[in-house]
Amino acid sequence: MDINILLFDEFEPLDVFGPAEVFLHAEQFNVQYFTLSNKRAITSYRLPIVDLLSDEEIDTSGVLLIPGGPGTRLLVNDKNFIEKLKILIDKSTYCLSICTGSALLAMTTTLDHKRSTTNKLAVNWVTRLNSKILWQRHARWTMDDKFYTSSGVSAGIDMSFAFLEHVTTRDFADNVAHDIEYVRIRDSQSDPFS
């Protein structure tokens, strides 16, 4: 299964590379990084990422992973970006978002009437974007239909393990966590930051 990770300017690096580490250790996944613009992106810490795939070079039926970061605050108003994102979401088998990546999902309306969460430091801004979403203010991550959403930054790693367990087994996910020496939070309601 392909894990297609969408990158854009000012994405949060841990939102991307934490989950990527999980999926890279689960060898049956093919992790790919792509962009909707010019095959490059700059992290929120000004690290350039180059030679990315375009959305036309990925298998869009795989898993779409959307990070958060400061760049989401501009992209929620970019109608062209949101329209392209909605098409990718519709084609994906699963859609995972981390942190304020749920703000981008909110603008596509694909989360309408579904449970979702977001970074607790940005919860007031994100929840105002779409009142039709069943926002969970106390959740480390949520799952509803094909959508997984996580709260802030490091919660994306726990959400990735929950997803991995869902599509494989608990033992498999636990073995990957052991391999990367990560202590999982298995309870999606364990949210000390809400």
Side-chain angles (χ1 to χ4, degrees):
M1 186 181 299
D2 287 349
I3 307 288
N4 298 310
I5 303 177
L6 174 61
L7 301 186
F8 47 81
D9 284 343
E10 294 195 62
F11 72 88
E12 169 57 46
L14 189 57
D15 288 0
V16 167
F17 300 117
E21 187 76 17
V22 172
F23 296 121
L24 286 166
H25 276 79
E27 295 172 357
Q28 68 266 50
F29 293 102
N30 178 35
V31 177
Q32 303 183 113
Y33 308 92
F34 78 101
T35 181
L36 295 180
S37 54
N38 56 8
K39 294 196 164 196
R40 63 183 300 277
I42 299 173
T43 73
S44 58
Y45 297 105
R46 311 310 301 161
L47 175 68
I49 310 292
V50 297
D51 294 328
L52 299 170
L53 297 173
S54 73
D55 56 309
E56 296 170 358
E57 297 174 287
I58 62 169
D59 178 357
T60 56
S61 69
V63 177
L64 175 62
L65 189 147
I66 305 166
T72 60
R73 291 187 181 267
L74 292 176
L75 288 174
V76 293
N77 298 311
D78 183 333
K79 290 182 181 179
N80 186 46
F81 179 91
I82 297 300
E83 286 172 10
K84 287 182 179 179
L85 180 60
K86 186 174 188 320
I87 292 167
L88 291 173
I89 292 167
D90 289 343
K91 291 180 178 179
S92 69
T93 302
Y94 293 100
C95 182
L96 286 57
S97 79
I98 295 108
C99 191
T100 56
S102 60
L104 301 175
L105 283 174
M107 297 304 290
T108 68
T109 71
T110 55
L111 281 180
D112 287 7
H113 314 294
K114 292 181 172 39
R115 290 179 296 109
S116 180
T117 194
T118 191
N119 185 308
K120 299 313 182 289
L121 295 177
V123 70
N124 291 333
W125 168 65
V126 175
T127 57
R128 281 195 306 266
L129 296 173
N130 186 335
S131 62
K132 293 180 181 177
I133 296 170
L134 308 176
W135 293 108
Q136 307 296 298
R137 289 179 175 260
H138 185 84
R140 189 153 176 84
W141 74 87
T142 62
M143 181 192 77
D144 196 332
D145 191 29
K146 72 176 190 175
F147 294 95
Y148 281 72
T149 61
S150 79
S151 57
V153 193
S154 65
I157 300 170
D158 290 314
M159 179 199 70
S160 297
F161 274 113
F163 173 75
L164 182 61
E165 182 175 322
H166 174 79
V167 297
T168 61
T169 66
R170 181 172 180 167
D171 284 345
F172 185 88
D174 285 346
N175 286 336
V176 172
H178 180 268
D179 287 348
I180 64 172
E181 297 188 11
Y182 185 77
V183 179
R184 292 177 61 187
I185 296 176
R186 288 190 177 88
D187 180 2
S188 66
Q189 300 303 302
S190 177
D191 187 11
F193 304 102
S194 62

